[in-house]
Amino acid sequence: MLKNRHHIVAVAPMMDWTDRHCRFFHRQLTGRGLLYTEMVVADAVIHGARERLLGFDDVEHPVALQLGGSDPAKLAEAARIGEAFGYDEINLNVGCPSDRVQSGTFGACLMKTPALVADCVAAMKASVKIPVTVKCRIGVDEQDPEPALDTLADGVLAAGADAIWVHARKAWLEGLSPKENRDIPPLDYPRVYRLKARKPNEFIGINGGIQSLAEASAHLGHVDGVMLGRAAYHTPGILTGVDAAFYGEVATAFDYPGLIDAMAGYAARHIERGGRLGHITRHMVGLFHGLPGARRFRQILSTDANKPCAGTEVLRTAFAAIDFTAAEPKRPDFRSISQDHAVAAHVEA
């Protein structure tokens, strides 16, 4: 039996993007996909403003907290705090290549110290009852991805990790910026497939460059889960097809009026607490990519919604610009995926 096998599709943790407002929005589009927080440093969880850093809406479940750090004791304490907040999973970041992460001795540079990563996982597992998972790269810098990924995976799985999500690129910590690290190192999906072949009874998920649900379906013939990153953020409409394509739910017309009401209600509550509409709408700009009215929708959310006094009427005006009669046929990949194939591929994995 595969661990966590019900989380077939996830939205990747993305710094400065997958905050609580983004996750609430994404949850309106998929009721079943696993959502992740941005990476939160263990020290910040322990010593910082916890409600601001960790607070989330109950509707976000299932939702995972991604932690950054390299001190087993601190990560264990941060994991306990995250569990107490109600998160469904704790994930350890072993893949972020940013300069800020390297200076803190966590993220992708931990690929070079797999024994330490295993110690961190063991400490976290001993401190919580919820799943503990790892997100990593296939290697860093001059590492050979074959032994590097196997060594890390063997160590964290032996330490009790419930799943490994692999971004199928190397991270080059010397010579490439964090942005370049998302595009320049070539994708090597077969390397992740080989890890799954070595570990048939463990949950291995794949991440990196996956642009559509059709691509996700193809990957599920080789691995247990697919993590969508920038595609889910920049074109979030693809998430409306997830539940039917991968979780066996009946394919129905998406409830756009319900989405409008849900986001307007959420925005009103946020504004009442002193927040701004733009905190929420910045994550929604790409929702109607390619549909009649999408340009006007983007213009309103990029300008009017960012004004200090913007209220929910701005959000409703933006939605009113969309021709919803054209929306359903344009939902990316929704009708092009064989539901039976997608589900069967996952079950056989």
Side-chain angles (χ1 to χ4, degrees):
M1 179 69 68
L2 292 173
K3 304 172 183 177
N4 265 7
R5 66 181 303 155
H6 57 291
H7 294 319
I8 308 169
V9 176
V11 177
M14 291 175 279
M15 293 292 289
D16 300 320
W17 287 357
T18 52
D19 62 18
R20 63 188 301 170
H21 308 308
C22 177
R23 299 192 306 270
F24 182 93
F25 168 53
H26 284 173
R27 181 56 71 218
Q28 309 311 307
L29 307 179
T30 169
R32 302 287 297 277
L34 177 63
L35 304 180
Y36 277 82
T37 70
E38 305 169 83
M39 183 191 69
V40 186
V41 179
D43 277 325
V45 172
I46 296 168
H47 304 293
R50 293 178 185 175
E51 179 57 36
R52 179 178 60 81
L53 292 168
L54 302 180
F56 65 94
D57 193 292
D58 283 344
V59 76
E60 295 176 36
H61 291 292
V63 58
L65 169 64
Q66 187 182 66
L67 294 176
S70 58
D71 183 306
K74 290 180 179 179
L75 284 166
E77 184 175 355
R80 284 194 295 271
I81 294 168
E83 182 180 44
F85 259 77
Y87 283 96
D88 300 293
E89 172 188 314
I90 305 295
N91 178 267
L92 179 61
N93 184 322
V94 190
C96 181
S98 77
D99 295 337
R100 181 174 53 175
V101 166
Q102 291 182 57
S103 66
T105 319
F106 49 91
C109 63
L110 288 176
M111 293 289 299
K112 298 179 180 180
T113 56
L116 175 59
V117 177
D119 289 343
C120 291
V121 170
M124 295 162 74
K125 282 292 293 182
S127 70
V128 299
K129 296 180 180 178
I130 58 177
V132 172
T133 65
V134 171
K135 187 172 187 290
C136 65
R137 294 280 183 133
I138 60 173
V140 296
D141 295 335
E142 301 297 339
Q143 282 185 329
D144 181 343
E146 293 299 326
L149 182 57
D150 283 348
T151 299
L152 181 84
D154 290 348
V156 299
L157 291 170
D162 295 282
I164 302 175
W165 292 93
V166 186
H167 185 150
R169 303 180 196 267
K170 267 190 173 185
W172 286 94
L173 305 180
E174 300 292 336
L176 292 182
S177 70
K179 182 178 184 298
E180 290 170 331
N181 262 294
R182 293 193 295 266
D183 296 297
I184 293 177
L187 287 160
D188 189 353
Y189 296 135
R191 177 64 193 95
V192 186
Y193 299 165
R194 291 193 294 276
L195 174 63
K196 175 59 191 176
R198 281 189 65 244
K199 299 292 183 181
N201 297 318
E202 304 291 349
F203 186 105
I204 306 297
I206 198 165
N207 170 232
I210 301 166
Q211 297 298 313
S212 69
L213 300 190
E215 290 180 31
S217 177
H219 284 300
L220 288 172
H222 304 277
V223 294
D224 305 306
V226 173
M227 185 174 275
L228 302 170
R230 283 172 289 168
Y233 189 82
H234 292 304
T235 56
I238 69 171
L239 297 177
T240 64
V242 164
D243 296 354
F246 300 109
Y247 293 91
E249 296 195 0
V250 176
T252 59
F254 186 72
D255 181 12
Y256 287 106
L259 172 65
I260 297 169
D261 289 341
M263 295 312 301
Y266 179 79
R269 295 190 295 273
H270 179 62
I271 292 169
E272 287 173 3
R273 294 191 296 265
R276 290 190 175 186
L277 181 64
H279 297 159
I280 298 165
T281 56
R282 73 184 185 96
H283 303 298
M284 303 172 61
V285 173
L287 177 59
F288 296 112
H289 180 75
L291 297 184
R295 181 178 181 183
R296 180 58 182 150
F297 178 84
R298 292 193 299 270
Q299 287 174 338
I300 294 171
L301 295 192
S302 299
T303 56
D304 295 353
N306 288 311
K307 294 177 180 177
C309 59
T312 58
E313 72 283 352
V314 174
L315 181 58
R316 291 189 181 277
T317 299
F319 273 104
I322 300 298
D323 177 5
F324 286 103
T325 63
E328 196 62 24
K330 294 285 188 177
R331 284 168 65 189
D333 300 315
F334 187 71
R335 305 190 189 284
S336 63
I337 298 174
S338 166
Q339 178 176 322
D340 291 341
H341 169 72
V343 174
H346 172 67
V347 171
E348 290 167 4

